[in-house]
Amino acid sequence: MNISIEELVKMIGDGAKLAVPADYSGIAMEATRALIRKGVKDLHIVGVPTSGLQSELLIGAGCVSTFESSALTLGEYNPAPRFSHAIKEKTIRLIDATRPAIHAGLQASQKGIPFMPLRGIIGSDILQHHPEWQIMDNPFSEDKDPIVVIPAIKPDIALFHAPLADRDGNVWIGRRRELMHLAQASKTTLVTVEKMVDTNLLEDETMAAGVLSSLYVGGIAHCPKGSWPLDFWYGDKEDGDHLREYKEKARTEEGFDEYLQEFVYESASS
Amino acid sequence: MNISIEELVKMIGDGAKLAVPADYSGIAMEATRALIRKGVKDLHIVGVPTSGLQSELLIGAGCVSTFESSALTLGEYNPAPRFSHAIKEKTIRLIDATRPAIHAGLQASQKGIPFMPLRGIIGSDILQHHPEWQIMDNPFSEDKDPIVVIPAIKPDIALFHAPLADRDGNVWIGRRRELMHLAQASKTTLVTVEKMVDTNLLEDETMAAGVLSSLYVGGIAHCPKGSWPLDFWYGDKEDGDHLREYKEKARTEEGFDEYLQEFVYESASS
Amino acid sequence: MTETTLKKELICFIANLLKDCNHVAVGASSPIPGAAALLAREAFGSPRHVNILGSVKNNFFTNGSQELFDCAAQGRIDAFFLGGGQIDGQANINLMGRGAYPDNTPRWPGTFGSAYLYFLIPKVILFREEHSRRVLVDRVDFISAPGVSDENIYRTGGPYGLLTNKAFFRFQKEKRNFLLESIHSNSSLEDILDNTGFEFEYSQNTPLTAAPNPQLLELLETHVVDKVKDVYPHFAQETFGIDAACS
Amino acid sequence: MTETTLKKELICFIANLLKDCNHVAVGASSPIPGAAALLAREAFGSPRHVNILGSVKNNFFTNGSQELFDCAAQGRIDAFFLGGGQIDGQANINLMGRGAYPDNTPRWPGTFGSAYLYFLIPKVILFREEHSRRVLVDRVDFISAPGVSDENIYRTGGPYGLLTNKAFFRFQKEKRNFLLESIHSNSSLEDILDNTGFEFEYSQNTPLTAAPNPQLLELLETHVVDKVKDVYPHFAQETFGIDAACS
């Protein structure tokens, strides 16, 4: 199950529905660059519940046909130029949600149920623009009580970066238990990790609470600093200089192409 | 927040809806004995998703008016004599569910939604006997697709036994993350623990994944061996001799009273 | 055949049924299926994953039985075991009690997860050692979980077969009945007919249940027994004569 | 007044609004509200719990933002902050973009959790430093989250007030409008009227926003600044002149 990053991204085919976490949970950026190098097409990205530079790069490189999330944000480096450009040129389809609705859709998938009810949302314009959400009456209320129902979101693949994995295919995600939901909601999960360990993580009682079992995992690539240039909660801080450089270059299509050339196509995989 | 076990059970009033976990998650047995000593009445017990000796004792001691769960089982010491007696004498009201439905009801409470859909169940006789469950049509299916909907179960208090707590009120539940759901679904949570530690558990990155934040916790009592005579996943094995003794004594009302006298009323709280 | 020999044969029999599985889940108080799953993993390398509920070892769930139910709904559990105080010829099972609910006499523990898992796990093996008209009834008094469902009911799982101390039946979903597949060496067709309370299909030439492969039995008694002991100490002691407390 | 002085005053102002809270949650890129919550906890001992999303310290969630949303629905979050590229006089907020969806120019990041949290957290403080007719509009182009809802819509939360660089407005739920409560010392009623694109209630005698308590300000600049630096290093450097990398 321990494979190279190029083998890992081979498992992400054209048209895959690919779920990725929010930046604070750990982003597999090196795998994302490998995905662009491989020339993947027509991804349906689900940003759980938001996405950032990862989706910005994939969109800019023409790998994405649908972007489903509650935001694409580069944080203090906003606005995201290639995302904005793609919207302007209508080269991607948007499914705009709100954060808990992304979670609700994934949880429905995790639980094998067709939908989940969710409070809020009624009166927001995202409701009328969403292709699937419905309003129903709460069957347990005597008074009329409308509530939104969110259908299951079923990703083909979840992809993220984590601190540790063992030789049996278990992955330590620590306090980022949201990744457990992401993995369980997806058909399979691909992970890059900072470090491989030789002992079984599930057998260590202090680690076990933060372990994603190998049952859910389809492939692991050892990739130290695999979240660069983004912040990793269990590793390096973000590379602010690089992100500023990105922001500057990606303003134009030419600049973005130069960026891809230098940092994606010519960079060796770790 | 660190209080005596007598103070802890004072927070469980007559008529409380009390959620307790299955035996494998850690049972607050000493707190249960304190609860019987205090003479609590009319508890609505929610066994999540099953219960065992804890509910058997509370039922036998006359503390329970409603028992809601998917089973009351003493495992290899079945049948549970006081539970059987109470059913025969109709002294308790039963709400019989199936295990995932108990979880679904609690998750609805945890998520602040009025209900959760759940697969299965249709064709089981528990459906027609349950006072609240309904069948609705899946609104996202073109074909008729009936599905059961389970209303939220909202306990007043969750009660369990855990390995560690810190002075800030955080509780380490380790790989028993199901207790997190239990706590979040309940208005407040009372915990007995094997051990108190002086460092903040959330600040230890290897422990954090298994920590229930003090936000959810209403009281903690330090109570080593607090799950006796039951097995504790992070401590002593079950006391089989004692459980056999219980099984023998509890066959008759007199025997059960003797048991209570010896092991509940005359036993000093730890 | 002694009782312990029979138990070992049942373990080997079940192990063979689990060969084609990736992930088998077993209840906390199901030592024979649990031992079988551990044996199959050791012998065949599949199932690759065995989860024994309530165990700390041999259990990778970090969200208790909630994770079991989610996992089943995700299609990630291939086989599971259910029993029942009563089982009928349509594979309906009753874990609630004999007589009319709620005044069952006796009342059994309750329905557990059966009303859900029976719908969602493809290979549910009904396992009940006692083979009698008391257990194998024409019609269960209470349906904890139905053996079959109407076409429009979402159902990806259901009964595969029924194993008892005397025989193994395959469940025929289309015909909604059991077919007697093999008879254990301690029994006979006449004995089965005498002690089964429901109608089932059978041939006069129903074969004997094959004796366990000696190597499989040896593996159980040598390598797997310690693993069984970890999870089911009382059972291991009774069946393999091992005193868990002293080894 | 310098910009950094104003930022510190806003922090103190918000801290005072959080005194009555047990648990305050703050977004990852909200340094002023985040600093205010940390200051209030230090100064008043309440809020007792501060969760700053995306932070490792100052964050006790172990289930990411899912736990935030569940927590809000459980009634366990007392205050939160929302902003918006546009905010209108009915407290509707727009985080999606200017112009008609989906062809917004510009398109902003998206609605985040606003369409949910605005319904469920009792004290939502709208905070946007820029006070201009570009931001404070008569009617938002896209309602990411509505300020008020009909009676039959489940809603336990909503807007408490709107704080900008120039003023603080209280939201009046029954009247569905804002009341100008105080004007910061760098502004005036005329300035507010000139730069606000929506109608609001006000009195000619609207008081000035009270200057921060000097002890509170000192606590911020001495004890709390290190905590702010941990979470918002860039902001701390700009506002307090601290080089996060060197201290």
Side-chain angles (χ1 to χ4, degrees):
Chain A
M1 199 182 280
N2 189 6
I3 53 183
S4 77
I5 202 154
E6 307 297 341
E7 287 173 296
L8 193 83
V9 300
K10 246 185 221 163
M11 298 170 77
I12 305 172
D14 289 353
K17 187 179 274 200
L18 179 69
V20 294
D23 285 3
Y24 53 76
S25 303
I27 305 299
M29 285 304 294
E30 187 53 38
T32 302
R33 287 184 286 269
L35 206 46
I36 294 174
R37 281 195 291 274
K38 145 182 144 107
V40 73
K41 291 284 168 220
D42 287 331
L43 292 179
H44 177 144
I45 292 188
V46 184
V48 183
T50 60
S51 190
L53 182 66
Q54 178 175 35
S55 293
E56 159 79 1
L57 290 185
L58 288 167
I59 289 169
C63 305
V64 178
S65 60
T66 300
F67 180 74
E68 176 170 13
S69 191
S70 65
L72 193 159
T73 173
L74 306 184
E76 60 179 302
Y77 310 100
N78 272 336
R82 295 297 100 202
F83 175 55
S84 303
H85 182 78
I87 290 175
K88 207 173 164 189
E89 302 293 321
K90 299 183 194 293
T91 56
I92 56 170
R93 174 177 168 242
L94 288 174
I95 303 178
D96 274 297
T98 183
R99 288 165 70 191
I102 296 283
H103 287 302
L106 285 164
Q107 288 209 323
S109 171
Q110 181 188 10
K111 301 191 161 300
I113 52 178
F115 65 91
M116 284 265 287
L118 190 68
R119 288 298 187 188
I121 301 179
I122 297 170
S124 165
D125 287 340
I126 58 168
L127 179 57
Q128 72 205 66
H129 291 289
H130 196 282
E132 296 182 297
W133 297 350
Q134 297 182 29
I135 296 181
M136 60 171 276
D137 281 320
N138 169 12
F140 295 99
S141 175
E142 285 178 26
D143 301 321
K144 196 171 163 64
D145 177 20
I147 187 165
V148 175
V149 282
I150 309 286
I153 299 171
K154 300 177 183 173
D156 297 308
I157 292 161
L159 172 69
F160 57 82
H161 186 68
L164 306 172
D166 67 23
R167 307 288 167 190
D168 299 316
N170 302 303
V171 178
W172 190 70
I173 58 172
R175 66 166 80 197
R176 298 295 170 196
R177 288 272 315 188
E178 61 269 26
L179 296 172
M180 199 77 75
H181 296 281
L182 184 60
Q184 291 176 359
S186 303
K187 291 197 194 99
T188 193
T189 294
L190 306 179
V191 190
T192 61
V193 294
E194 287 290 311
K195 201 175 151 189
M196 297 296 300
V197 296
D198 288 321
T199 53
N200 186 301
L201 288 162
L202 272 167
E203 287 173 7
D204 178 341
E205 215 48 65
T206 57
M207 299 297 271
V211 176
L212 175 70
S213 158
S214 61
L215 177 69
Y216 306 103
V217 179
I220 300 172
H222 181 206
C223 181
K225 297 183 187 298
S227 67
W228 177 85
L230 296 179
D231 181 84
F232 184 47
W233 66 276
Y234 200 78
D236 289 350
K237 294 277 137 207
E238 69 175 23
D239 183 344
D241 289 342
H242 183 86
L243 293 171
R244 273 181 289 273
E245 184 180 345
Y246 174 79
K247 186 184 163 92
E248 191 52 40
K249 285 200 163 144
R251 280 185 190 175
T252 65
E253 200 137 6
E254 297 69 35
F256 179 74
D257 287 344
E258 277 172 38
Y259 176 90
L260 283 187
Q261 203 54 42
E262 182 172 356
F263 294 105
V264 176
Y265 294 115
E266 288 174 11
S267 102
S269 163
S270 53
Chain B
M1 197 180 279
N2 188 5
I3 54 183
S4 77
I5 203 155
E6 307 298 339
E7 288 172 295
L8 192 83
V9 300
K10 248 186 222 164
M11 300 170 75
I12 305 173
D14 290 352
K17 188 180 273 200
L18 179 69
V20 294
D23 286 2
Y24 54 75
S25 303
I27 305 299
M29 284 304 292
E30 187 52 39
T32 302
R33 287 184 286 268
L35 205 47
I36 295 173
R37 281 196 290 275
K38 148 182 140 106
V40 74
K41 292 283 168 220
D42 287 332
L43 292 178
H44 176 145
I45 292 188
V46 184
V48 182
T50 60
S51 190
L53 182 65
Q54 179 175 36
S55 293
E56 159 80 0
L57 290 185
L58 288 167
I59 289 169
C63 305
V64 178
S65 59
T66 300
F67 181 74
E68 176 170 13
S69 192
S70 64
L72 194 158
T73 173
L74 305 183
E76 60 179 303
Y77 310 100
N78 272 336
R82 295 298 98 201
F83 176 56
S84 302
H85 183 77
I87 289 174
K88 205 172 164 191
E89 301 294 321
K90 299 185 194 294
T91 57
I92 56 169
R93 175 177 166 240
L94 288 174
I95 304 178
D96 274 297
T98 185
R99 290 165 68 191
I102 295 283
H103 287 302
L106 285 164
Q107 289 208 323
S109 172
Q110 181 187 9
K111 303 195 159 298
I113 52 179
F115 65 90
M116 286 264 288
L118 189 68
R119 288 299 188 188
I121 301 179
I122 297 170
S124 166
D125 287 339
I126 58 167
L127 179 57
Q128 71 206 67
H129 291 289
H130 196 283
E132 297 182 296
W133 297 349
Q134 295 182 32
I135 296 181
M136 59 171 278
D137 280 320
N138 168 13
F140 295 99
S141 175
E142 285 178 27
D143 301 321
K144 196 171 164 64
D145 177 21
I147 187 166
V148 175
V149 282
I150 310 285
I153 299 171
K154 300 176 182 173
D156 297 308
I157 292 160
L159 172 69
F160 56 81
H161 186 67
L164 306 172
D166 67 24
R167 307 288 166 188
D168 299 316
N170 302 303
V171 177
W172 189 71
I173 57 173
R175 68 166 81 197
R176 298 294 170 196
R177 289 272 314 189
E178 61 270 25
L179 297 171
M180 199 78 75
H181 296 282
L182 184 60
Q184 291 175 359
S186 303
K187 290 197 193 98
T188 192
T189 295
L190 306 178
V191 190
T192 61
V193 295
E194 287 291 311
K195 202 175 150 187
M196 297 295 302
V197 297
D198 288 321
T199 53
N200 186 302
L201 288 162
L202 272 167
E203 286 172 8
D204 178 340
E205 216 47 67
T206 56
M207 300 296 272
V211 176
L212 175 69
S213 159
S214 62
L215 177 70
Y216 306 103
V217 179
I220 301 172
H222 180 206
C223 182
K225 299 183 184 300
S227 67
W228 177 84
L230 297 178
D231 181 85
F232 183 48
W233 66 276
Y234 199 79
D236 289 350
K237 295 275 137 211
E238 69 176 24
D239 182 345
D241 289 341
H242 183 87
L243 293 171
R244 273 182 288 274
E245 185 181 345
Y246 175 79
K247 186 184 163 94
E248 190 52 40
K249 285 199 163 145
R251 281 185 190 174
T252 64
E253 200 136 8
E254 296 69 37
F256 180 73
D257 287 344
E258 277 172 40
Y259 176 90
L260 284 186
Q261 202 55 43
E262 182 173 357
F263 294 105
V264 177
Y265 293 116
E266 287 173 11
S267 102
S269 163
S270 53
Chain C
M1 184 160 44
T2 67
E3 204 182 318
T4 60
T5 305
L6 177 60
K7 281 187 202 297
K8 289 179 198 169
E9 291 196 10
L10 292 171
I11 292 171
C12 291
F13 184 89
I14 296 173
N16 279 306
L17 296 181
L18 303 178
K19 267 183 200 169
D20 61 353
C21 298
N22 180 49
H23 179 197
V24 174
V26 187
S29 12
S30 303
I32 289 174
L38 293 170
L39 175 60
R41 186 173 64 182
E42 188 78 17
F44 317 123
S46 73
R48 192 175 144 223
H49 302 278
V50 174
N51 252 314
I52 297 173
L53 310 177
S55 163
V56 173
K57 279 188 189 182
N58 297 299
N59 186 329
F60 57 73
F61 290 151
T62 54
N63 196 14
S65 66
Q66 178 65 70
E67 188 169 350
L68 169 76
F69 303 120
D70 290 350
C71 221
Q74 292 154 25
R76 285 188 166 105
I77 303 179
D78 303 296
F80 191 72
F81 301 87
L82 287 172
Q86 293 179 332
I87 298 169
D88 72 22
Q90 293 203 28
N92 298 311
I93 62 174
N94 175 6
L95 292 83
M96 193 62 95
R98 214 169 276 123
Y101 180 88
D103 307 318
N104 313 93
T105 317
R107 156 83 190 207
W108 299 317
T111 282
F112 292 96
S114 63
Y116 178 84
L117 294 173
Y118 212 20
F119 286 78
L120 296 173
I121 296 179
K123 195 171 200 169
V124 176
I125 298 167
L126 299 175
F127 176 62
R128 174 77 204 226
E129 288 177 83
E130 179 179 336
H131 191 134
S132 70
R133 287 180 174 267
R134 194 177 78 120
V135 171
L136 306 182
V137 297
D138 181 48
R139 181 74 188 170
V140 294
D141 293 340
F142 185 96
I143 300 177
S144 288
V148 287
S149 300
D150 292 345
E151 271 305 306
N152 70 335
I153 302 297
Y154 182 91
R155 185 161 191 168
T156 56
Y160 172 80
L162 165 64
L163 179 66
T164 72
N165 264 349
K166 293 180 189 292
F168 179 64
F169 300 85
R170 273 297 299 270
F171 189 69
Q172 305 184 115
K173 191 181 157 192
E174 294 70 27
K175 298 184 179 174
R176 297 192 169 207
N177 69 6
F178 284 108
L179 167 70
L180 181 65
E181 191 164 283
S182 73
I183 301 169
H184 304 343
S185 58
N186 62 341
S187 183
S188 63
L189 182 55
E190 193 185 357
D191 181 34
I192 304 287
L193 289 167
D194 279 352
N195 288 288
T196 305
F198 57 71
E199 303 279 312
F200 57 93
E201 269 188 52
Y202 62 94
S203 138
Q204 289 296 341
N205 308 317
T206 301
L208 279 186
T209 304
N213 176 312
Q215 284 160 310
L216 195 63
L217 197 58
E218 197 196 328
L219 192 67
L220 171 65
E221 291 177 329
T222 55
H223 283 75
V224 177
V225 71
D226 281 346
K227 293 185 171 63
V228 175
K229 199 185 61 187
D230 276 345
V231 189
Y232 305 106
H234 300 293
F235 171 79
Q237 190 175 358
E238 283 168 17
T239 310
F240 300 97
I242 289 162
D243 185 340
C246 301
S247 62
Chain D
M1 184 161 44
T2 67
E3 203 181 318
T4 61
T5 306
L6 178 59
K7 281 188 203 296
K8 289 177 198 171
E9 292 196 8
L10 292 171
I11 292 170
C12 292
F13 185 89
I14 296 172
N16 279 306
L17 296 180
L18 303 178
K19 267 183 199 168
D20 61 353
C21 297
N22 179 52
H23 179 199
V24 174
V26 187
S29 14
S30 303
I32 290 175
L38 293 170
L39 176 60
R41 186 172 63 181
E42 188 78 16
F44 317 123
S46 73
R48 194 175 142 222
H49 302 278
V50 173
N51 252 315
I52 297 173
L53 311 177
S55 164
V56 173
K57 278 188 187 183
N58 297 299
N59 187 328
F60 56 74
F61 290 151
T62 54
N63 196 12
S65 67
Q66 178 65 70
E67 189 169 351
L68 169 76
F69 302 120
D70 289 350
C71 222
Q74 292 156 24
R76 285 190 167 105
I77 303 180
D78 303 295
F80 191 73
F81 300 87
L82 288 172
Q86 294 178 328
I87 299 169
D88 72 22
Q90 293 203 28
N92 297 311
I93 62 175
N94 175 7
L95 292 83
M96 194 61 97
R98 214 170 275 124
Y101 181 89
D103 306 318
N104 313 93
T105 318
R107 156 81 190 209
W108 299 318
T111 282
F112 291 96
S114 64
Y116 178 83
L117 294 173
Y118 212 20
F119 286 77
L120 296 173
I121 296 179
K123 197 172 199 170
V124 176
I125 297 166
L126 299 175
F127 176 61
R128 175 76 204 226
E129 288 176 85
E130 179 179 337
H131 191 135
S132 70
R133 286 180 173 266
R134 194 176 79 119
V135 171
L136 307 182
V137 298
D138 181 47
R139 182 76 187 168
V140 295
D141 293 342
F142 185 95
I143 299 178
S144 287
V148 287
S149 300
D150 292 345
E151 271 305 305
N152 71 334
I153 301 298
Y154 183 91
R155 185 159 192 170
T156 58
Y160 172 81
L162 165 64
L163 180 66
T164 72
N165 264 350
K166 294 181 187 291
F168 179 65
F169 300 86
R170 275 295 301 272
F171 188 69
Q172 306 184 117
K173 190 181 157 192
E174 293 70 27
K175 298 183 178 174
R176 298 192 169 208
N177 70 4
F178 284 107
L179 167 69
L180 181 65
E181 191 165 281
S182 74
I183 302 169
H184 304 343
S185 58
N186 63 339
S187 183
S188 63
L189 181 55
E190 194 185 356
D191 182 34
I192 305 290
L193 289 167
D194 281 352
N195 288 288
T196 307
F198 57 69
E199 303 279 313
F200 57 94
E201 267 187 52
Y202 61 95
S203 139
Q204 289 297 341
N205 306 315
T206 301
L208 278 186
T209 304
N213 176 313
Q215 285 160 309
L216 194 64
L217 198 57
E218 198 195 325
L219 192 68
L220 172 64
E221 291 178 328
T222 54
H223 284 74
V224 178
V225 70
D226 281 347
K227 293 184 171 65
V228 174
K229 200 184 60 187
D230 276 345
V231 188
Y232 305 107
H234 300 294
F235 171 78
Q237 191 176 355
E238 283 169 18
T239 310
F240 301 97
I242 290 162
D243 186 340
C246 302
S247 62

